[in-house]
Amino acid sequence: MEGGDGDTSDSYAFAEPAVSKVTRVCVYDRANLGQSDPAPGPRGLADLVGDLAGWLEAAEIPGPYVLVGTSGGGYITAGYAVEHPQNTAGLVLIDTAAPFQNPPKEIVAETDPANPENVEKRDYLQVEKDAWNARRRIGDIPVKVVSVKMRRNVERQKGWLVLSPRAEQIVVNTGHAVEEDDPELVIDVILDAVKEAREG
């Protein structure tokens, strides 16, 4: 499970007990967050996906996996799924937006890897573009795209549906932090993906 931008593994504490009753749950702190070591920036999609792949290998956790990514964490899980389709049994994206087409100057400055407030030292805008541009069919697997209705890019988030013929979009009436506004819904979506992955 990948937390959102700047979020540590604690961001999934709400889901771990329920999901762990059904399957093994794995969370971690990305570099520069929580208890993980620092890493120099700028950090791109290859760095983030490489860290996830390396962590799974080092921990000797056999795949395939149902990957869950919240917001900015979704780009990492989608990137992993595209690079490692043989290790991907399912994918859940929780309000992972399509990239900015023309990002405002303040967003560019805020997400700059050199900005001291960018604790992950992630090249956010480039990571989003790279993950989005890499989209392709990864297999006949369950893909759940949870999109917040009040956000303007619900239509654009349908772009994630190319990942699988079994992909579906679930539109919800919450704020961007779906896991905070409706944690049970997120848990149910994850459990549905696990169930469908096993049945498939």
Side-chain angles (χ1 to χ4, degrees):
M1 294 181 173
E2 285 279 357
D5 299 342
D7 287 342
T8 67
S9 55
D10 292 344
S11 65
Y12 279 107
F14 76 95
E16 289 177 58
V19 179
S20 65
K21 290 178 182 176
V22 175
T23 189
R24 184 174 187 177
V25 175
C26 302
V27 297
Y28 73 109
D29 294 335
R30 291 189 293 271
N32 301 313
L33 293 176
Q35 298 181 51
S36 285
D37 294 332
R43 308 209 78 227
L45 183 63
D47 300 304
L48 298 163
V49 170
D51 285 353
L52 173 57
W55 174 79
L56 290 168
E57 184 178 340
E60 298 181 350
I61 300 169
Y65 317 105
V66 173
L67 304 162
V68 180
T70 299
S71 187
Y75 304 111
I76 303 169
T77 54
Y80 179 93
V82 167
E83 264 193 42
H84 304 276
Q86 73 284 0
N87 277 340
T88 305
L91 182 63
V92 177
L93 301 176
I94 308 295
D95 208 33
T96 300
F100 279 105
Q101 293 175 309
N102 296 294
K105 290 180 181 179
E106 59 270 18
I107 295 294
V108 173
E110 182 182 315
T111 59
D112 188 314
N115 185 331
E117 293 183 15
N118 182 345
V119 294
E120 288 198 57
K121 299 180 183 174
R122 190 197 308 192
D123 190 347
Y124 284 103
L125 298 178
Q126 192 60 53
V127 166
E128 293 175 12
K129 289 177 188 174
D130 290 346
W132 187 257
N133 291 337
R135 290 168 300 139
R136 65 175 185 265
R137 181 171 170 169
I138 55 177
D140 188 10
I141 62 170
V143 173
K144 311 287 185 183
V145 179
V146 178
S147 305
V148 172
K149 187 174 184 179
M150 65 187 290
R151 302 194 78 199
R152 286 179 280 176
N153 66 355
V154 167
E155 283 302 310
R156 292 193 67 214
Q157 284 190 37
K158 288 181 180 177
W160 294 117
L161 301 180
V162 302
L163 297 172
S164 170
R166 291 167 60 192
E168 65 173 314
Q169 186 178 41
I170 302 159
V171 180
V172 298
N173 289 299
T174 67
H176 174 56
V178 184
E179 71 282 4
E180 295 177 11
D181 293 348
D182 196 342
E184 290 302 319
L185 180 144
V186 174
I187 291 168
D188 288 346
V189 171
I190 294 170
L191 292 176
D192 284 348
V194 170
K195 180 182 177 185
E196 289 175 26
R198 287 176 171 169
E199 291 172 349

